[in-house]
Amino acid sequence: MKKCIINGVIITMDDSRNIIEDGFVMIDGNKICEIGKMSDLKASGDAELIDADGGIVMPGFVNCHTHISMSVFRGLGEDMPDRLRRYMFPMEDEILDERMVRIGARLSLIELIQGGVTTFCDMYYFEDEVAKAVKDFGMRAVLGETILSKPSPDSSEPYGGIEYAKRFISKWKGDSLITPAFAPHAPYTCDDNHLMEIRRLADELGVPITMHLSEMLHEMEEFDSKYGRTPIRHLEDMGFLSEKLIAAHLVYVDDEDIMVLKRNGVGAAHNVVANAKSGRKVSPAPAMHKAGMKVGLGTDGPMSGNHQDVLSLLGYYTKIQKQAALDNRICSAAEAVELGTMGGARVLGMADEIGSIEKGKKADIIIIDTSAPNIQPVYDYYSAIVYAAHPHNVVMTMVDGKVLMSGRKLMAMDEKKVLEEVSEVSKEIRTFAMELDRRARS
Ligand SMILES: [Zn+2]
């Protein structure tokens, strides 16, 4: 069964950044089979027509780093110093269960799809629940089970996440939409021996690894005093780095770190809004991109970045980077769109399959309604996407050739039912949070 998106401005994000005004995209099954101008569209036969109505038709966004199930905790413990260790870890250790992970994942999936995200990379506990939700919604994702040196919500043993991940990977490996992965939390929460065991297993099983890296000041100080070098240099000497690593944050990196990451093929998930919110240094993401590294954008979890869509990150990315550099030439609007689409595809090792609208690629496509007052008039398409559009301007989201959202309505999911479940579970969380708040602030 074919589908044809007609009457759109096709922002392809291919190598030459081709834009086709008044164009169409033909989809056969889950793949793009033809792109062209409306005047060249031959009789589309029995293809189902999707009218873009003059809007922007572009590749779906790729969110390279998040913890989607944390949406049930969104807004808790804001502005607390050392929030990860004083608030988030105790919250997860004491009340997080499979049900919360499932409900949180479903809530975030609605937000992601409505915001035009078609692929994301997740790291959390009970990741099998996330995978089932992703499958129900029809999204594409890299899903990593978190591994920690302490007992965690789904494991009574330190590093129990390794065994969970092995089971999880054997269950989901080969799935058309889900790429299972290992997710050691960070080099400061996993020791060298376990990191190398994970690297060996990831090679053996042919799966990616995703990990927070060079994100915390205490992490940098710890590696400096223990080894006299940065975590990135330490991990390279150890033989841990590879093109299979999706590294989140990379805030505290110097020029030599960038060369090390580049020569090892490590992908960077730049979490511009979450980093700004937590008062960290601005990551040198444009320098990484310029050096030829794979760079994409991530929201981080809904406690850190609060929202999950990538569209809102684009403007923050250019504005924060320009301000930090005191130079408006450091990154362009088109580069921001590239990082949010093709860049993310490269980081996740999916550049041959997604990230652009090209013949033979998977049909992960969105439509942005440009007739809205907050976007009109449109003189420059990249500017319209990066500086004017909001997630609510996304009116169609397609993943793998399937329409998941049209006219802001989810096709296969009852949004109201999900929100009722969220409301129910939030009562329990609120009670516990009040107690935790007292403890954390005392
Ligand atoms: Zn994170």
Side-chain angles (χ1 to χ4, degrees):
M1 177 65 183
K2 285 189 176 177
K3 291 188 181 80
C4 190
I5 303 174
I6 56 168
N7 301 323
V9 178
I10 321 295
I11 310 290
T12 62
M13 296 317 290
D14 63 11
D15 284 344
S16 40
R17 290 191 188 151
N18 261 317
I19 293 178
I20 305 164
E21 288 175 319
D22 200 22
F24 74 91
V25 182
M26 186 78 81
I27 296 129
D28 189 1
N30 67 346
K31 284 191 176 151
I32 297 163
C33 64
E34 206 184 336
I35 308 147
K37 283 193 88 65
M38 283 305 287
S39 52
D40 296 328
L41 178 60
K42 295 172 212 87
S44 44
D46 58 356
E48 182 193 327
L49 297 180
I50 299 168
D51 195 344
D53 208 11
I56 286 173
V57 177
M58 63 177 291
F61 293 109
V62 180
N63 184 344
C64 291
H65 180 69
T66 182
H67 317 272
I68 64 168
S69 298
M70 292 179 84
S71 56
V72 289
F73 301 137
R74 177 161 35 213
L76 288 174
E78 295 288 17
D79 308 323
M80 181 179 286
D82 198 13
R83 187 163 167 242
L84 174 69
R85 290 185 295 192
R86 290 177 66 203
Y87 202 91
M88 294 186 189
F89 279 159
M91 171 74 82
E92 289 168 342
D93 288 344
E94 292 180 53
I95 61 162
L96 186 76
D97 59 15
E98 274 173 298
R99 183 186 48 129
M100 285 180 193
V101 169
R102 180 174 64 247
I103 294 170
R106 288 159 68 82
L107 175 62
S108 286
L109 281 160
I110 296 175
E111 184 192 353
L112 287 163
I113 292 167
Q114 288 183 334
V117 174
T118 50
T119 299
F120 67 98
C121 177
D122 193 67
M123 168 198 285
Y124 214 48
Y125 311 99
F126 302 109
E127 201 63 28
D128 192 49
E129 291 300 323
V130 182
K132 286 190 270 183
V134 167
K135 206 65 187 160
D136 284 349
F137 278 74
M139 275 284 267
R140 195 184 302 286
V142 174
L143 304 176
E145 167 69 15
T146 301
I147 299 157
L148 280 170
S149 59
K150 64 179 185 64
S152 61
D154 57 3
S155 164
S156 53
E157 297 290 319
Y159 297 105
I162 295 179
E163 284 309 309
Y164 187 113
K166 279 157 73 178
R167 289 193 304 274
F168 175 68
I169 290 163
S170 77
K171 179 174 172 186
W172 292 97
K173 183 96 210 297
D175 187 89
S176 59
L177 293 171
I178 290 166
T179 306
F182 288 99
H185 176 266
Y188 61 90
T189 45
C190 290
D191 66 26
D192 293 356
N193 288 340
H194 285 92
L195 284 178
M196 287 313 290
E197 184 189 343
I198 291 163
R199 166 74 207 266
R200 191 181 50 74
L201 284 166
D203 284 350
E204 193 183 303
L205 300 170
V207 295
I209 300 174
T210 183
M211 180 170 82
H212 299 114
L213 180 56
S214 295
E215 60 160 338
M216 300 281 196
L217 271 176
H218 69 73
E219 170 188 5
M220 306 312 289
E221 285 159 9
E222 183 191 319
F223 277 78
D224 189 45
S225 71
K226 254 164 86 180
Y227 308 107
R229 57 194 164 187
T230 65
I232 289 166
R233 251 101 94 191
H234 179 71
L235 292 175
E236 185 188 44
D237 289 352
M238 213 165 89
F240 178 77
L241 301 182
S242 81
E243 72 285 349
K244 289 275 197 184
L245 179 64
I246 302 158
H249 298 304
L250 301 175
V251 173
Y252 302 103
V253 296
D254 58 23
D255 290 346
E256 200 186 325
D257 281 336
I258 294 177
M259 293 324 294
V260 170
L261 294 166
K262 159 91 166 63
R263 70 169 167 256
N264 286 281
V266 175
H270 174 41
N271 301 279
V272 54
V273 168
N275 292 159
K277 187 178 165 228
S278 56
R280 305 235 169 95
K281 193 175 150 276
V282 177
S283 163
M288 293 186 216
H289 185 53
K290 210 169 152 211
M293 268 182 71
K294 303 179 285 185
V295 183
L297 299 175
T299 56
D300 208 352
M303 279 185 92
S304 309
N306 296 49
H307 65 83
Q308 301 282 290
D309 70 281
V310 172
L311 183 50
S312 325
L313 298 179
L314 305 179
Y316 279 106
Y317 168 68
T318 56
K319 287 179 243 180
I320 289 176
Q321 291 292 351
K322 286 173 183 187
Q323 189 171 28
L326 301 177
D327 185 351
N328 75 347
R329 296 165 303 178
I330 194 158
C331 52
S332 66
E335 276 167 46
V337 177
E338 176 166 336
L339 260 52
T341 54
M342 251 336 281
R346 286 186 203 108
V347 169
L348 302 189
M350 296 180 176
D352 294 337
E353 295 203 289
I354 60 163
S356 60
I357 298 187
E358 289 180 86
K359 205 173 151 183
K361 280 206 172 180
K362 300 270 172 68
D364 288 10
I365 301 172
I366 63 168
I367 299 174
I368 297 176
D369 169 21
T370 49
S371 71
N374 64 298
I375 305 185
Q376 278 295 315
V378 179
Y379 301 115
D380 175 323
Y381 297 114
Y382 294 116
S383 164
I385 296 166
V386 174
Y387 296 118
H390 288 302
H392 67 252
N393 297 125
V394 178
V395 288
M396 196 283 303
T397 301
M398 173 187 283
V399 176
D400 215 38
K402 229 174 117 184
V403 176
L404 305 188
M405 182 275 283
S406 175
R408 307 291 302 151
K409 243 186 92 58
L410 269 90
M411 309 308 281
M413 275 298 148
D414 184 352
E415 188 179 327
K416 204 167 149 253
K417 196 171 155 243
V418 176
L419 290 169
E420 277 165 16
E421 288 176 339
V422 171
S423 160
E424 205 46 49
V425 81
S426 70
K427 288 177 198 153
E428 243 170 87
I429 294 170
R430 189 186 303 275
T431 309
F432 181 78
M434 281 161 70
E435 155 65 19
L436 193 56
D437 218 48
R438 264 194 300 275
R439 261 195 263 162
R441 291 187 199 274
S442 66

